[in-house]
Amino acid sequence: MTSPDNTTTSPETLRALEEVYAAVKRVRRDLRPSDRIVQDLEIDSLATLEILLGLEERFQVSLVDNVRAAGVTTVGDLVALLDELRAGRPS
């Protein structure tokens, strides 16, 4: 799967994000790489923190303390960052 900025996103990571999103927001939704996290998904700062912590626990990576996480604006950006962290590439 390729996001609008031509980065490849992992379907496995996207599904995991959908599951964490559903647990936090209490609503199931198919997420697209182009979805904007704040505007389209209506995620506030508390929900953002809960989602990041859920993803950290699931994938054993550090997102909350990651400088790049602050610049994530779309689902595709977040999935790409997670994939990089999971692969052990420097962020």
Side-chain angles (χ1 to χ4, degrees), residues 21 24-27 29 31-32 34-51 73-75:
Y21 174 83
V24 170
K25 294 292 283 183
R26 293 179 172 45
V27 64
R29 176 179 174 160
L31 302 180
R32 297 180 314 265
S34 61
D35 286 336
R36 295 169 300 167
I37 293 171
V38 174
Q39 297 88 343
D40 298 331
L41 303 182
E42 300 177 356
I43 297 177
D44 62 19
S45 58
L46 180 58
T48 298
L49 182 59
E50 289 181 76
I51 289 169
T73 58
T74 67
V75 167

Side-chain angles (χ1 to χ4, degrees), residues 14-85:
L14 183 60
R15 278 191 301 278
L17 177 55
E18 287 174 341
E19 291 170 10
V20 172
Y21 174 83
V24 170
K25 294 292 283 183
R26 293 179 172 45
V27 64
R28 282 235 171 256
R29 176 179 174 160
D30 290 332
L31 302 180
R32 297 180 314 265
S34 61
D35 286 336
R36 295 169 300 167
I37 293 171
V38 174
Q39 297 88 343
D40 298 331
L41 303 182
E42 300 177 356
I43 297 177
D44 62 19
S45 58
L46 180 58
T48 298
L49 182 59
E50 289 181 76
I51 289 169
L52 292 178
L53 291 171
L55 292 168
E56 282 186 346
E57 183 176 319
R58 184 167 193 149
F59 292 119
Q60 300 301 303
V61 297
S62 179
L63 288 169
V64 174
D65 295 331
N66 189 304
V67 175
R68 286 193 48 215
V72 167
T73 58
T74 67
V75 167
D77 294 340
L78 182 53
V79 169
L81 177 58
L82 280 166
D83 287 342
E84 286 178 23
L85 294 172

